[in-house]
Amino acid sequence: MSEKVLMKGNEALAEGAIRAGCRFFAGYPITPQNEVPEYMSWRQEEVGGAFVQAESEIAAVNMLYGAAATGTRSMTSSSSPGISLKQEGISYLAGADMPCLIANIMRGGPGLGNIAGAQGDYIQATRGGGNGDYRLIVLAPFSVHELANFPKKAFELAEKYRMPAMILADGILGQMMEGMSFDFDPVEPAALKPACWSIGGARAEGKKRNMVYSYALGEGELEKMVLKRADKYALIERDEVIYEERFTEDAEILVVAYGISARASIEAINIARKKGIKVGLLRPITLWPFPTKRIKELSSKVKCILCPEMSLGQMIVDVKLAVDGKVPVYLHARPGAFFPVAEDIAVAIESALTGKKEQLFDLESLADKATLGCHQPENKPSKEGALL
Amino acid sequence: MPKIEVDEMRCKGCKLCTKACPKQCIEMSDTFSKTGYYPAKLAKQDCCIGCAMCYTVCPDLAITVYK
Amino acid sequence: MNPITHKPKSLVDISTHYCPGCGHSVVHRLIGEVIDELGIQNRTVIVAPVGCAVFADKYFDCDSIQGPHGRGPAIATGIKRAKPDSIVFSYQGDGDLASIGMAEIIHAAARGEKITVIFINNAIYGMTGGQMAPTTLVGQPATTCPKGRNPDLQGYPINVSEMLSQLKSPKYIERVSVDSAPNVIKAKKAIKKAFQNQVDNVGFSFVEVLSICPTNWGVEPIKALDFLREKMMPQYPLGVFKDEGKTQEGK
């Protein structure tokens, strides 16, 4: 437990990880997550942990792979393009069943995109992202308070199920300051139960060697390995779903939003409720496992569902799978790393209920607007004379 | 006299030991081993000096030297 | 009569998957002997690469981790930093280390990670079937340069030991060969030193081993030895490129 203090999101995340017992961090600079490695560089030294500024995101995630394999609570962080580079290592971590924490402070994409907060990596995070069949436990904080307190939850889930966990936040959360506190006492790594699978001294206890690997070349061996993991995934989907609900008791329309989009949605719901619109919120906190069951239940009570997302519609895919066509599911999309505006979402709520199109993503009209051929994207210097 | 023993299950017939032997005591067998190679063998008795050069170059730990 | 040769106890007593004559197996044995002699089996971790030595983790009876292509030095960094009392060695081939993993090896060396790297240079990609490696010699044919490596198109081979020895941090860099019994004995001395340095916490130690790949060179093992001596050694001269052991510490 700690007093309420003002803290920047990225630093709260780093301190939260330290307090959760993280004693290894490797990272590479990328905006908007730079405060995480910067904070870790001196803080790990203070607590007797290790910090490495890696030569690349690829090296950083592989350092994480090595450190995690020793049973040390280990972490890396990055932002969208860097997380893409880390996918090779994340796939190995998943294939070798290594618990660890990866934080993605998402920014605009694809490509270099921009450095503002975005939510374009939902599919990558929840479907695995790298090669092969695997999942990550994905936690989506919507406040600095949650950013600070989720690392402990993430490490515990990762270790319980022996798999990597991800904190999927965005540049807005990472960069903003707000009042927060730690809901838990600092974890002393020495007090944690040593991992029976860890390397670097397994034989010393008079036992057999431990091997960490992701390959299985014998006939049928890989399928067995993947299916065994599938059992575990099913258990997680049954037992570990976390979400938050607001005003769903009498809701005629349900807003499903995560992370910073949920913050804007709460304000939008306040606006709409003042106009007498019965609107509720379901905020998935675990994006995988996704609150499929609860959304399915709620879909039988509401007229329609709205998903405000800072993407072209990624989480909405999971919502639609849960709803299974029972009610219409609409998208309010801000895919260019723009912060969703509460007033716009409030309009989208009204539109969804009344059959209008204002502030809704209208797929049908898009195809007619498409431009093909040798047009050049605009690439002019901004007013400040700098390109992001 | 020193001698060598070749583990036919391990020998892959690469012949590196025949080159390494300073006394040219080692030859290849003319019959297949169970693993499908022509294994090395000590061709001449009383030839081996127990220098273990064959062991040193053998990639497959197939040779044991006795002295 | 008693046996005067013994299988290292830190090697698992099974046949390897390596081709006849392959140098990997010789180097495995040397590392096994060194681990035994230094008494470090219980705290040693092998970082196995992608390439022919991908299953090296099976052959060493010590803790192991198998990682992505070329990332061994980064993985070893993570292990060593998280568990400094462990003895970590990255075992890599030339495609793994000198091509896809060039950034990882250079930066692990530049940081002076207190790890041991064993680099097997046989001038070709083995596991994938004989493609051109960054170490392939000028004129040497490979399946992706069937007419031989052409410097105009593919540039010249990379001499990794020489390149790494330009860095200040590495403490020990030597190139050895396993083409003959005397050279195998020298190779073992180098490998032992590279591990002893880690035991003594000296710093980054690197041994490049010239090795034959009869299968992908398309010659008999004994002919391959001639190729190694006549063609590879002039391009990759044997010797110590850097040796700043603990006696130099603090100077």
Side-chain angles (χ1 to χ4, degrees):
Chain A
M1 304 294 168
S2 73
E3 278 180 28
K4 197 165 185 179
V5 292
L6 188 67
M7 222 170 165
K8 192 172 191 174
N10 283 335
E11 293 184 346
L13 169 67
E15 179 60 27
I18 293 278
R19 287 188 185 220
C22 172
R23 290 298 179 270
F24 181 89
F25 181 94
Y28 184 84
I30 183 170
T31 310
Q33 63 85 55
N34 292 316
E35 294 82 0
V36 184
E38 283 168 0
Y39 190 93
M40 284 290 187
S41 69
W42 59 269
R43 191 69 173 105
Q44 284 289 6
E45 197 180 343
E46 262 186 9
V47 297
F51 164 84
V52 188
Q53 178 169 333
E55 60 271 26
S56 68
E57 283 92 348
I58 296 171
V61 75
N62 282 289
M63 290 173 190
L64 172 72
Y65 180 39
T70 67
T72 306
R73 284 195 170 173
S74 305
M75 175 186 180
T76 187
S77 72
S78 191
S79 179
S80 306
I83 293 290
S84 295
L85 280 167
K86 287 187 199 289
Q87 294 304 330
E88 171 193 75
I90 296 173
S91 175
Y92 271 71
L93 281 156
D97 304 310
M98 282 297 110
C100 62
L101 173 58
I102 302 143
N104 181 359
I105 309 298
M106 287 184 281
R107 61 185 253 184
L112 192 55
N114 65 20
I115 58 170
Q119 293 184 321
D121 306 344
Y122 176 95
I123 298 263
Q124 184 196 53
T126 57
R127 265 59 177 180
N131 63 299
D133 272 325
Y134 70 94
R135 292 287 185 270
L136 306 174
I137 292 165
V138 185
L139 296 170
F142 87 139
S143 64
V144 173
H145 181 84
E146 285 189 349
L147 259 179
N149 285 284
F150 279 8
K152 180 164 180 276
K153 180 81 186 156
F155 276 124
E156 286 167 355
L157 286 171
E159 284 162 10
K160 181 176 177 186
Y161 295 103
R162 269 193 72 179
M163 62 188 284
M166 177 177 272
I167 289 181
L168 189 70
D170 61 77
I172 300 163
L173 274 174
Q175 292 298 321
M176 76 185 190
M177 292 183 87
E178 64 178 339
M180 53 70 62
S181 60
F182 293 98
D183 297 342
F184 61 95
D185 293 326
V187 174
E188 191 45 58
L192 294 168
K193 198 176 160 231
C196 59
W197 41 261
S198 70
I199 57 168
R203 291 186 88 268
E205 293 137 32
K207 295 180 195 133
K208 284 185 182 169
R209 63 177 169 166
N210 278 336
M211 300 175 74
V212 173
Y213 57 93
S214 60
Y215 63 82
L217 277 86
E219 198 182 329
E221 277 179 19
L222 182 66
E223 190 170 58
K224 250 188 249 171
M225 203 160 141
V226 175
L227 286 173
K228 209 174 152 193
R229 221 170 271 132
D231 296 343
K232 191 166 74 177
Y233 293 161
L235 180 65
I236 297 168
E237 288 190 295
R238 192 191 71 189
D239 290 353
E240 304 293 355
V241 176
I242 312 171
Y243 56 86
E244 184 200 349
E245 279 183 43
R246 296 189 189 199
F247 312 113
T248 48
E249 304 80 17
D250 64 343
E252 290 183 330
I253 172 170
L254 179 71
V255 173
V256 182
Y258 73 95
I260 202 70
S261 291
R263 284 283 275 264
S265 297
I266 289 166
E267 183 55 26
I269 288 167
N270 288 336
I271 296 168
R273 283 248 162 202
K274 276 180 195 151
K275 288 187 179 175
I277 299 170
K278 288 177 179 167
V279 52
L281 173 78
L282 185 135
R283 174 169 76 93
I285 292 172
T286 50
L287 300 182
W288 192 89
F290 194 71
T292 306
K293 206 175 137 195
R294 183 59 187 151
I295 290 172
K296 190 179 178 183
E297 284 166 9
L298 288 171
S299 69
S300 62
K301 296 176 187 166
V302 297
K303 288 178 183 163
C304 60
I305 293 176
L306 173 71
C307 299
E309 281 190 72
M310 292 163 72
S311 75
L312 275 176
Q314 299 198 11
M315 181 203 64
I316 196 172
V317 175
D318 283 336
V319 175
K320 283 182 174 174
L321 282 169
V323 169
D324 201 15
K326 261 188 277 176
V327 289
V329 182
Y330 300 101
L331 176 68
H332 172 74
R334 296 309 304 260
F338 267 107
F339 186 71
V341 180
E343 286 75 10
D344 293 346
I345 299 174
V347 171
I349 290 169
E350 274 194 86
S351 296
L353 266 178
T354 55
K356 290 182 199 158
K357 288 182 174 177
E358 201 181 345
Q359 292 297 345
L360 293 181
F361 200 67
D362 182 16
L363 271 177
E364 282 161 23
S365 72
L366 294 183
D368 298 330
K369 294 193 287 182
T371 43
L372 304 173
C374 59
H375 71 285
Q376 289 291 318
E378 270 190 51
N379 199 4
K380 293 179 201 150
S382 64
K383 276 177 195 164
E384 293 76 27
L387 285 168
L388 282 182
Chain B
M1 280 300 283
K3 65 163 187 174
I4 64 163
E5 265 178 25
V6 177
D7 181 347
E8 290 198 0
M9 293 304 285
R10 277 182 177 264
C11 178
K12 292 173 184 162
C14 71
K15 302 183 191 169
L16 293 187
C17 52
T18 64
K19 273 274 183 184
C21 177
K23 297 282 181 186
Q24 284 84 46
C25 312
I26 307 172
E27 285 176 9
M28 305 313 287
S29 169
D30 50 12
T31 50
F32 276 127
S33 68
K34 279 185 187 165
T35 50
Y37 296 108
Y38 293 112
K41 63 174 185 188
L42 186 61
K44 299 169 220 158
Q45 299 300 323
D46 305 339
C47 168
C48 178
I49 55 170
C51 69
M53 290 297 146
C54 52
Y55 170 86
T56 304
V57 299
C58 175
D60 294 294
L61 278 164
I63 299 173
T64 308
V65 184
Y66 293 87
K67 209 169 177 180
Chain C
M1 269 194 302
N2 294 316
I4 59 162
T5 57
H6 304 277
K7 293 184 180 100
K9 76 175 170 57
S10 54
L11 284 189
V12 178
D13 191 12
I14 49 172
S15 271
T16 66
H17 70 288
Y18 297 115
C19 303
C22 177
H24 275 302
S25 329
V26 177
V27 180
H28 282 23
R29 192 190 79 232
L30 299 181
I31 295 171
E33 288 173 3
V34 165
I35 292 173
D36 284 1
E37 287 165 22
L38 296 176
I40 52 174
Q41 186 181 2
N42 287 352
R43 56 188 180 122
T44 295
V45 181
I46 173 173
V47 182
V50 167
C52 282
V54 62
F55 305 127
D57 58 351
K58 289 189 200 296
Y59 302 139
F60 288 90
D61 188 14
C62 58
D63 285 354
S64 64
I65 181 166
Q66 192 285 322
H69 201 19
R71 317 301 178 212
I75 297 166
T77 297
I79 299 166
K80 190 70 182 178
R81 296 282 188 115
K83 209 166 168 50
D85 57 346
S86 56
I87 301 294
V88 189
F89 74 103
S90 178
Y91 186 101
Q92 302 178 258
D94 42 30
D96 192 82
L97 183 141
S99 191
I100 194 165
M102 191 57 109
E104 283 76 11
I105 188 62
I106 286 187
H107 286 274
R111 286 192 305 270
E113 295 295 339
K114 295 183 174 64
I115 58 170
T116 303
V117 178
I118 307 296
F119 168 45
I120 308 299
N121 178 1
N122 58 16
I124 206 148
Y125 279 78
M127 178 65 101
T128 45
Q131 294 80 13
M132 189 192 74
T135 46
T136 294
L137 306 176
V138 169
Q140 181 188 344
T143 58
T144 47
C145 57
K147 293 176 182 170
R149 183 176 189 154
N150 175 356
D152 283 344
L153 293 174
Q154 290 111 5
Y156 290 88
I158 299 175
N159 283 38
V160 178
S161 289
E162 285 87 337
M163 193 170 64
L164 291 182
S165 62
Q166 302 305 307
L167 297 167
K168 194 168 170 66
S169 293
K171 294 294 181 189
Y172 175 54
I173 297 173
E174 180 167 356
R175 183 184 288 125
V176 295
S177 166
V178 288
D179 65 296
S180 66
N183 276 342
V184 170
I185 291 162
K186 281 183 201 161
K188 183 181 165 184
K189 275 186 191 147
I191 291 168
K192 190 162 184 179
K193 181 161 193 162
F195 276 84
Q196 183 70 53
N197 277 353
Q198 193 174 165
V199 172
D200 296 342
N201 212 27
V202 168
F204 183 85
S205 298
F206 181 90
V207 178
E208 174 175 347
V209 186
L210 300 186
S211 175
I212 58 170
C213 180
T215 300
N216 288 301
W217 292 357
V219 290
E220 267 192 87
I222 41 177
K223 293 254 173 62
L225 296 176
D226 296 337
F227 181 84
L228 189 152
R229 287 174 201 136
E230 290 160 20
K231 306 284 184 188
M232 275 185 86
M233 280 189 190
Q235 171 70 38
Y236 301 113
L238 306 186
V240 178
F241 294 91
K242 213 163 182 202
D243 185 6
E244 299 168 3
K246 60 180 169 180
T247 52
Q248 309 258 325
E249 289 273 285
K251 267 192 184 173

